[in-house]
């Protein structure tokens, strides 16, 4: 049994849950008390990274450690794409999951982390099957849609989840293993394992733009196994209320009557951005293909 | 009597338990609300985040029904933590007792049930430690030691006739030994 399989084992324990972005231990406690199954420790939520500009990097270890001390649920933290040193530091801190994230400014435009060499489980974003397969081949124990982080707009997450599902369906009936491997730039062995498994070999969660219980329910309907919520909670008018509501909405994603109860009187959600108003270079999802 | 097994959902590795039950041909369903528990002959409390699960189960009424349920219950990992909370006079569980994810491990262990010795393969993921305070009603089915330490830890045990606790995840490696034994009860 490899470390990698144990790491996928942890990813599966998170299914049916909500992972929340938090920037301090107070927020982490709110997340835990609202039913988050894990928190993502970072210095700024994606909406603020977007508005602040500049280079976004791994958080201060002090912040990550403070957050870890304040909760008992698993703690995740982000490093820049391909930034092996940041990843090694997070591994040394002993976070439960490393998110190699396009939300931070990429450190390497050619190579992602050699994730099989990292003991701690890693999660990566993907927009399409090719990206998903390459990240698994590199050793990601968990995938998530990229969506468009920090926008409060679910449209890109929907696009990515649908595309991965439809391309995966085609792959499962693919006869020509070697051409599929070439097309997606991954090993033939991985293509064979995916076909044998009749699906991806790691869970696939939704992320990027989820702001309301209805958004979370939509992503679960499309086949997400759990949901990451970034700016959607702590950029809303009433974070504890919204946090609890999104946790409940994942639990009851296919029960419209319950979703009505859950969504009633939550106050203003985060404002959100129209994706079409973003310039190409402002789209975080273009990073790390 | 035909068996209908409920898996307490939705947070956790419900699907892995479901896959084992499906492969064994047992009727099963993931239960969300308290009312879903009616008619179940067996209940499985899966792994996941115990704080999250309890919070959700209390809101849906599942927690109250789990406490009242008088047929066999199997709890794996977080599930064992819940059973320990309900049966706190006999057992307790220490959460994440073996460290964080870097310390998660895999074991192959002896599994003793109904005079048979089998092998149980399982993952221990941020595993809890099961502590026994009242030895009388306890039967240990599987145990393990860690490298460089002689202390024996409980992997699987039965408390009385109905409560099964596992600190590990055989379902995560597709091992059906524990589930088969549980469904004989």
């Amino acid at each position: 049994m490899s470390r990698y399989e144990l790491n996928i084992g942890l990813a599966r324990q998170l299914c049916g849950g909500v992972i929340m972005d938090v920037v301090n231990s107070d927020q982490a406690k709110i997340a835990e008390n609202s039913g988050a199954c894990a928190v993502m420790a970072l210095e700024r939520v994606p909406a603020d990274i977007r508005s602040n500009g500049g280079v976004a990097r791994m958080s201060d270890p002090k912040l990550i450690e403070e957050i870890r001390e304040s909760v008992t649920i698993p703690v995740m933290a982000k490093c820049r794409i391909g930034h092996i040193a940041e990843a090694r530091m997070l591994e040394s801190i002993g976070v439960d999951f490393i998110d190699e994230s396009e939300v931070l400014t990429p450190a390497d435009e050619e190579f992602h982390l050699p994730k099989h060499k990292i003991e701690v489980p890693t999660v990566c974003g993907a927009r399409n099957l090719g990206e998903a397969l390459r990240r698994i081949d590199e050793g990601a124990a968990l995938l998530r849609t990229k969506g468009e982080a920090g926008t409060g707009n679910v449209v890109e997450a929907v696009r990515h989840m649908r595309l991965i599902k439809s391309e995966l369906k085609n792959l499962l009936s693919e006869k020509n293993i070697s051409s599929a491997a070439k097309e997606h730039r991954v090993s033939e062995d991985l293509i064979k394992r995916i076909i044998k498994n009749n699906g991806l070999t790691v869970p696939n969660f939704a992320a990027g733009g989820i702001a309301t219980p209805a958004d979370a329910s939509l992503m679960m309907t499309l086949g997400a196994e759990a949901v990451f919520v970034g700016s959607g909670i702590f950029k809303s008018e009433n974070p504890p209320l919204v946090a609890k509501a999104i946790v409940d909405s994942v639990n009851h994603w296919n029960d419209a009557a319950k979703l009505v109860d859950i969504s009633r009187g939550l106050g203003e959600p985060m404002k959100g951005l129209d994706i079409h108003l973003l310039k190409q270079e402002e789209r975080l999802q273009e990073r790390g293909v | 009597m035909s068996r209908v097994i409920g898996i307490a959902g939705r947070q956790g590795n419900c699907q892995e338990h479901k896959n084992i039950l499906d492969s064994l041909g047992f009727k099963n369903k993931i239960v969300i609300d308290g009312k879903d528990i009616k008619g179940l002959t067996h209940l499985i409390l899966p792994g996941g985040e115990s704080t999250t699960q309890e919070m959700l189960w209390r809101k849906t009424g599942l927690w109250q029904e789990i406490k009242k349920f008088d047929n066999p219950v199997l709890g794996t990992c977080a599930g064992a933590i819940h059973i320990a909370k309900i049966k706190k006079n006999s057992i307790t569980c220490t959460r994440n007792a073996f460290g964080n994810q870097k310390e998660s491990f895999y074991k192959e262990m002896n599994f003793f049930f109904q005079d048979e010795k089998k092998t149980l393969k399982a993952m221990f993921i941020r595993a809890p430690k099961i502590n026994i305070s009242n030895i009388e009603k306890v039967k240990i089915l599987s145990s393990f030691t860690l490298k460089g330490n002689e202390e024996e830890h409980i992997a699987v045990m039965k408390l009385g006739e109905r409560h099964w606790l596992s600190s590990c995840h055989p379902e995560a490696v597709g091992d059906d030994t524990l589930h088969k034994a549980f469904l004989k009860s």
Side-chain angles (χ1 to χ4, degrees):
Chain A
M1 174 81 30
S2 65
R3 177 66 29 198
Y4 180 56
E5 285 164 279
L6 287 165
N7 286 344
I8 297 172
L10 176 62
R12 296 201 194 285
Q13 305 300 319
L14 301 172
C15 287
V18 179
I19 301 129
M20 301 181 191
D21 277 4
V22 297
V23 301
N24 56 45
S25 49
D26 289 341
Q27 289 189 354
K29 281 182 207 140
I30 291 174
E32 184 173 50
N33 292 334
S34 306
C37 67
V39 289
M40 177 76 71
L42 71 179
E43 259 161 37
R44 283 191 285 272
V45 294
D48 290 333
I49 291 177
R50 206 175 262 293
S51 59
N52 281 25
V55 174
R57 310 177 178 92
M58 178 192 122
S59 299
D60 188 327
K62 181 167 175 272
L63 175 93
I64 298 167
E65 285 161 352
E66 277 170 8
I67 288 172
R68 198 182 50 181
E69 290 305 310
S70 68
V71 293
T72 61
I73 56 179
V75 174
M76 305 186 176
K78 290 181 193 290
C79 76
R80 285 178 267 178
I81 290 173
H83 204 308
I84 300 164
E86 285 186 350
R88 288 280 177 229
M89 287 162 69
L90 293 176
E91 187 179 31
S92 172
I93 291 172
V95 298
D96 295 292
F97 245 101
I98 296 173
D99 184 5
E100 185 183 24
S101 179
E102 70 282 0
V103 167
L104 305 184
T105 311
D108 192 324
E109 295 193 329
E110 192 172 355
F111 297 105
H112 277 72
L113 294 172
K115 291 175 276 290
H116 278 300
K117 292 185 183 157
I118 298 168
E119 286 208 337
V120 169
T122 44
V123 50
C124 286
R127 289 182 300 180
N128 53 46
L129 186 64
E131 290 183 7
L133 295 179
R134 288 192 287 283
R135 300 299 87 81
I136 297 175
D137 222 12
E138 291 155 2
L142 172 63
L143 294 173
R144 54 171 177 76
T145 57
K146 283 182 178 168
E148 190 55 44
T151 61
N153 190 336
V154 78
V155 64
E156 295 299 301
V158 167
R159 188 194 317 281
H160 301 160
M161 188 56 81
R162 279 196 186 279
L163 187 57
I164 289 171
K165 288 272 161 189
S166 69
E167 290 182 320
L168 181 62
K169 201 172 156 210
N170 292 338
L171 180 70
L172 294 177
S173 55
E174 177 65 59
K175 297 281 176 289
N176 192 335
I177 305 286
S178 106
S179 92
K182 275 203 193 84
E183 182 195 339
H184 296 301
R185 290 181 275 139
V186 293
S187 62
E188 290 188 18
D189 177 60
L190 176 63
I191 302 286
K192 284 182 200 156
R193 276 189 289 135
I194 302 255
I195 290 173
K196 185 171 169 235
N197 190 47
N198 197 34
L200 295 173
T201 50
V202 304
N204 189 16
F205 295 178
I210 293 146
T212 64
D215 289 347
S217 160
L218 171 63
M219 294 314 299
M220 294 297 285
T221 309
L222 294 176
E225 291 165 270
V227 173
F228 283 88
V229 186
S231 320
I233 290 169
F234 290 99
K235 286 286 167 189
S236 69
E237 191 185 7
N238 195 333
L241 216 55
V242 171
K244 285 195 184 94
I246 292 184
V247 170
D248 288 341
S249 73
V250 169
N251 201 40
H252 298 287
W253 62 266
N254 55 355
D255 186 336
K258 283 252 169 61
L259 289 166
V260 172
D261 288 337
I262 291 165
S263 303
R264 202 175 280 122
L266 293 180
E268 275 296 305
M270 79 178 277
K271 187 156 182 299
L273 285 172
D274 184 345
I275 302 294
H276 300 101
L277 299 178
L278 292 178
K279 297 193 195 92
Q280 183 80 5
E281 63 271 22
E282 291 173 329
R283 287 158 58 98
L284 304 176
Q285 60 178 284
E286 308 291 338
R287 299 165 165 182
V289 293
Chain B
M1 188 179 60
S2 67
R3 282 148 161 62
V4 186
I5 301 109
I7 305 161
R10 177 177 322 266
Q11 205 285 310
N13 70 332
C14 304
Q15 192 58 45
E16 289 180 303
H17 285 283
K18 191 166 186 0
N19 293 345
I20 295 269
L21 297 173
D22 286 343
S23 74
L24 292 173
F26 285 103
K27 198 172 163 192
N28 67 82
K29 58 177 183 177
I30 294 173
V31 294
I32 308 289
D33 286 303
K35 61 176 167 43
D36 301 338
I37 228 160
K38 207 174 158 220
L40 298 179
T41 61
H42 293 71
L43 184 61
I44 294 178
L45 312 180
E49 269 312 305
S50 56
T51 46
T52 306
Q53 291 173 331
E54 187 181 332
M55 211 175 287
L56 287 168
W57 295 347
R58 280 184 189 276
K59 279 197 239 181
T60 62
L62 202 51
W63 178 255
Q64 293 78 349
E65 292 298 324
I66 290 168
K67 286 214 292 203
K68 282 193 279 179
F69 192 68
D70 52 12
N71 286 329
V73 185
L74 163 65
T76 61
C77 197
I81 294 172
H82 298 304
I83 297 180
K85 192 162 181 181
I86 294 166
K87 311 294 285 179
K88 57 179 178 284
N89 293 332
S90 308
I91 35 172
T92 57
C93 270
T94 316
R95 286 178 67 193
N96 300 347
F98 302 97
N100 57 23
Q101 176 60 11
K102 270 207 282 192
E103 277 75 49
S104 290
F105 56 93
Y106 168 80
K107 283 272 174 197
E108 294 183 8
M109 299 159 287
N110 288 328
F111 182 82
F112 300 94
F113 183 65
Q114 292 181 343
D115 302 324
E116 269 190 280
K117 181 172 132 182
K118 294 196 165 142
T119 301
L120 182 71
K121 300 174 190 163
M123 288 185 192
F124 291 77
I125 300 169
R126 286 165 53 93
K129 184 176 166 184
I130 304 173
N131 318 293
I132 302 168
S133 43
N134 181 355
I135 196 83
E136 263 174 48
K137 295 183 197 158
V138 170
K139 195 179 272 177
I140 295 170
L141 309 187
S142 190
S143 63
F144 67 97
T145 55
L146 292 173
K147 237 184 246 170
N149 193 327
E150 282 176 11
E151 191 188 348
E152 196 103 355
H153 301 285
I154 296 168
V156 181
M157 59 159 277
K158 262 181 87 175
L159 174 66
E161 283 310 302
R162 293 193 300 107
H163 291 96
W164 297 60
L165 289 85
S166 168
S167 56
C168 59
H169 294 283
E171 75 286 352
V173 298
D175 186 322
D176 58 14
T177 310
L178 169 59
H179 290 70
K180 273 184 184 160
F182 172 61
L183 290 164
K184 280 185 188 163
S185 63

